[in-house]
Amino acid sequence: MMVNQQERDPKHLVPPAIFPGVSMTLRPRLRRKDVPAYLASTHGIDIALSTLNKLATIGGGPEMQYSGRIPLYHIDALDAWAAARLSKPVRSTSERSAA
């Protein structure tokens, strides 16, 4: 039986630290309250839940989908949003201002 790449990809396995009492589970979408922990543990980006709430209202946040009234964030959309927020790698502060 063939397993598609997404099912084998460990980034789609959410660590139990994010969801205490839950074993490694396949969760392609996260609720908004779980997004800050995912971004911090996966990308090192600290963002407050209140900031995500505001960005969902005014724009500029990660792409989301709704299941009824519940906003859900796909892992791939969170990864793309995090990558867009990060600068290119630099070796000194002078390289950053030139970019």
Side-chain angles (χ1 to χ4, degrees):
M1 180 172 139
M2 289 290 284
V3 176
N4 71 33
Q5 182 63 31
Q6 185 174 356
E7 290 174 350
R8 286 186 293 170
D9 193 347
K11 77 178 179 184
H12 291 283
L13 294 175
V14 178
I18 294 176
F19 302 102
V22 177
S23 62
M24 295 290 264
T25 35
L26 185 64
R27 294 210 33 176
R29 290 174 185 82
L30 301 177
R31 293 181 81 149
R32 187 175 293 151
K33 65 182 176 130
D34 301 319
V35 169
Y38 174 79
L39 291 173
S41 67
T42 306
H43 298 284
I45 294 175
D46 294 325
I47 187 165
L49 180 57
S50 59
T51 302
L52 278 174
N53 290 335
K54 177 140 185 154
L55 291 175
T57 304
I58 65 171
E63 209 175 71
M64 62 186 151
Q65 296 175 299
Y66 282 89
S67 174
R69 64 178 187 83
I70 300 169
L72 298 173
Y73 295 83
H74 197 283
I75 298 288
D76 293 337
L78 293 172
D79 294 340
W81 183 78
R85 286 182 51 116
L86 296 171
S87 73
K88 70 178 185 84
V90 296
R91 295 182 190 271
S92 72
T93 57
S94 62
E95 287 181 45
R96 181 174 179 224
S97 61

